[in-house]
Amino acid sequence: MSTHYNTEQLKEVAGGDEEFMAVVAQAFLEEIPPDLEALEEAISNDNRELAYQFAHKMKPNIEMFGIAVLKDITTIEAWTKTSKNSAHISDELDNVVTTLKLVFEELKSDFNL
């Protein structure tokens, strides 16, 4: 298994059902990449409302897979309620994007998707 996510919470929810876990991983791979792209686009267009919606929508999935970017997502959500420019969250966004792209590849490999 990977170092960028863990399945402890998923195993608990799935009751150890490997097939169910694979279905959840597949759903993650179908939903999160376009959401991540939309989040990046919303931030680059300074569309704070949309950025908040995508960041908030991604949180439960990120939490389910124990991905260590929850703090960054929360920081992005908080930024949407400020008047600061997007440079204030560029490090957080870069970390989210980089980490999630690694997780996408690891999930595909680990669950044979």
Side-chain angles (χ1 to χ4, degrees):
M1 286 284 170
S2 79
T3 57
H4 296 97
Y5 76 93
N6 74 62
T7 57
E8 291 309 309
Q9 188 172 351
L10 179 58
K11 283 179 185 172
E12 191 176 313
V13 169
D17 182 340
E18 297 285 332
E19 191 173 313
F20 177 76
M21 290 172 59
V23 168
V24 174
Q26 179 67 42
F28 182 93
L29 289 171
E30 289 171 2
E31 292 176 20
I32 299 300
D35 288 352
L36 180 61
E37 191 174 311
L39 175 65
E40 287 181 280
E41 186 175 325
I43 290 170
S44 72
N45 293 331
D46 201 36
N47 186 336
R48 291 164 192 261
E49 185 177 330
L50 199 56
Y52 178 86
Q53 289 173 2
F54 280 105
H56 191 72
K57 180 182 175 196
M58 293 167 61
K59 277 172 64 172
N61 288 306
I62 288 169
E63 193 171 13
M64 174 71 71
F65 282 93
I67 304 167
V69 295
L70 208 50
K71 183 176 180 242
D72 294 322
I73 290 288
T74 302
T75 300
I76 291 169
E77 280 183 325
W79 166 81
T80 67
K81 306 298 183 196
T82 72
S83 60
K84 296 177 181 174
N85 68 36
S86 61
H88 282 85
I89 55 158
S90 63
D91 289 345
E92 289 82 0
L93 181 61
D94 288 346
N95 188 46
V96 169
V97 170
T98 301
T99 302
L100 287 180
K101 286 183 177 181
L102 290 168
V103 169
F104 300 155
E105 294 309 310
E106 292 167 352
L107 285 173
K108 288 175 190 173
S109 175
D110 294 347
F111 286 93
N112 298 313
L113 300 172

